[in-house]
C-alpha cells in the first residue's frame, strides 16, 4: 500500500529500533518530515539516515521518555518544524515477571514509559496538532487476552487503550485518535527472549493462525493506515488488533 504524507510532519517515539524505526522510514518514504525519538543514540542515528535517504527532513531527540526533559525536547522540536500531522507512540518498555515477584521499580518504569509518557507528550503537543491530525498509540494483545508473567505490563497497555478512547471524543472532530495492538512481532521485544527459550519462535509460529510472525514493517503499514486521513478518515476511538489471529482464536 502507498499512503500520502507529502509535506506532512510526523513524530515517532521508540524510533531507535523495531516498529518505531520501521514506521519512521515508512512515513518518510510516504513524503513526511519526521521527528524521531529514542533512547539509543547510535540506532536512532541509523533511523535518521534512513529518513534522510528518502530526501525528507529529520530531527533527532535522544533520551528516555521516562525523563520529562525528553518530552519537552520532543515537543519543542516538533513545534519548531511548524506543528504535527501524525503522532505515533511506538515506544514501550517490556519487563516480565509474575506480580508477586515484580519489583516496584520495574512497575514504575513501565508505567512511566508505556502510559505516563504518551499521555504527557500528547498533552504537550495538543496546541501544535494541525486540523486533521492523527494520533496512534501502540498497545498490545495483552490488553485483550490474559498472558501470565506480564500483569504489570498488561495494565499499562489497558490504561493507554482506555485513555485513547476518551481522548478520541475530546479531540473530535479536529483530530482522530486510534490504537494499534500488536501480537507477537519479530522485533527485539520477542527475539531477545530466544536465548532463554530457543523454541519460542517455532512455538509462536505454530500457534499463530496465519502461521508466520509479523514484522516491524507489517505494523508500520498498519500504523500509516490509521494515521492517513485518506485511508481512515472515518475511524477514531478504536483499536486495530494486528496479531495474525491470536485474539480471534480465543
Amino acid at each position: 500500500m502507498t499512503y500520502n504524507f507529502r509535506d506532512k510532519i510526523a513524530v515517532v517515539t521508540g524510533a531507535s529500533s523495531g516498529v518505531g524505526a520501521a514506521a519512521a522510514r515508512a512515513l518518510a518514504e510516504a513524503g513526511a518530515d519526521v521527528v524521531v525519538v529514542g533512547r539509543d543514540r547510535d540506532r536512532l542515528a541509523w533511523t535518521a539516515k534512513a529518513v534522510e535517504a528518502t530526501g525528507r527532513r529529520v530531527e533527532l531527540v535522544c533520551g528516555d521518555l521516562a525523563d520529562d526533559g525528553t518530552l519537552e525536547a520532543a515537543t519543542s522540536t516538533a513545534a519548531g518544524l511548524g506543528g504535527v500531522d501524525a503522532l505515533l507512540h511506538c515506544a514501550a518498555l517490556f519487563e516480565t515477571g509474575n506480580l508477586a515477584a515484580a519489583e516496584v521499580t520495574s512497575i514504575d518504569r513501565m508505567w512511566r514509559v508505556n502510559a505516563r509518557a504518551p499521555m504527557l507528550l500528547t498533552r504537550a503537543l495538543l496546541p501544535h496538532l494541525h486540523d486533521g491530525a492523527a494520533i496512534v498509540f501502540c498497545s498490545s494483545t495483552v490488553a485483550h487476552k490474559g498472558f501470565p508473567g506480564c500483569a504489570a505490563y498488561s495494565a499499562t497497555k489497558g490504561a493507554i487503550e482506555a485513555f485513547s478512547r476518551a481522548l478520541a471524543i475530546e479531540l473530535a472532530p479536529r483530530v482522530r485518535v486510534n490504537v494499534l495492538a500488536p501480537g507477537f512481532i519479530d522485533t527485539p521485544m520477542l527475539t531477545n527472549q530466544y536465548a532463554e527459550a530457543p523454541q519460542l519462535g517455532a512455538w509462536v509460529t505454530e500457534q499463530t493462525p496465519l502461521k508466520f510472525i509479523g514484522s516491524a514493517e507489517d505494523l508500520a503499514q498498519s500504523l500509516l493506515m490509521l494515521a492517513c486521513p485518506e485511508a481512515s478518515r472515518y475511524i477514531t476511538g478504536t483499536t486495530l488488533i494486528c496479531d495474525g489471529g491470536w485474539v480471534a482464536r480465543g
Side-chain angles (χ1 to χ4, degrees):
M1 294 294 295
T2 299
Y3 300 107
N4 181 18
F5 287 86
R6 178 63 55 185
D7 299 327
K8 303 295 186 181
I9 299 169
V11 176
V12 182
T13 69
S16 297
S17 65
V19 176
R25 296 193 302 269
L27 282 162
E29 290 167 356
D33 297 329
V34 189
V35 177
V36 292
V37 186
R39 288 186 299 171
D40 189 300
R41 185 173 298 278
D42 290 339
R43 292 189 300 182
L44 194 63
W46 182 88
T47 301
K49 288 181 180 179
V51 171
E52 288 177 335
T54 69
R56 303 308 304 180
R57 291 185 299 173
V58 62
E59 295 287 344
L60 282 73
V61 177
C62 186
D64 192 329
L65 287 171
D67 180 356
D68 288 349
T70 302
L71 303 179
E72 293 168 2
T75 301
S76 61
T77 301
L81 289 178
V84 177
D85 298 288
L87 172 56
L88 274 55
H89 293 284
C90 300
L93 182 62
F94 177 60
E95 296 183 357
T96 60
N98 291 329
L99 186 62
E103 298 287 343
V104 173
T105 53
S106 174
I107 295 172
D108 285 345
R109 280 195 302 270
M110 284 191 287
W111 186 261
R112 288 184 68 89
V113 173
N114 298 352
R116 181 182 183 273
M119 290 180 188
L120 293 188
L121 181 57
T122 299
R123 179 177 180 271
L125 286 172
L126 288 179
H128 308 290
L129 294 174
H130 294 150
D131 288 350
I135 303 170
V136 186
F137 296 92
C138 281
S139 176
S140 169
T141 51
V142 300
H144 300 264
K145 289 187 66 175
F147 286 85
C150 56
Y153 175 76
S154 300
T156 67
K157 293 305 186 178
I160 211 64
E161 291 208 16
F163 171 73
S164 70
R165 288 191 293 270
L167 188 64
I169 308 308
E170 287 187 16
L171 300 186
R174 195 174 72 87
V175 175
R176 295 181 303 105
V177 182
N178 289 294
V179 176
L180 180 70
F184 290 100
I185 303 298
D186 189 22
T187 67
M189 189 176 290
L190 175 63
T191 58
N192 285 346
Q193 302 178 61
Y194 288 172
E196 294 185 3
Q199 303 303 315
L200 179 59
W203 180 82
V204 170
T205 301
E206 176 58 31
Q207 295 298 314
T208 302
L210 290 184
K211 299 304 179 188
F212 70 94
I213 300 175
S215 68
E217 288 72 23
D218 291 327
L219 288 192
Q221 291 302 307
S222 296
L223 285 167
L224 264 63
M225 185 274 288
L226 290 173
C228 180
E230 291 82 8
S232 56
R233 71 187 187 100
Y234 202 52
I235 301 175
T236 196
T238 194
T239 296
L240 173 63
I241 296 174
C242 188
D243 68 345
W246 271 79
V247 170
R249 187 190 63 178

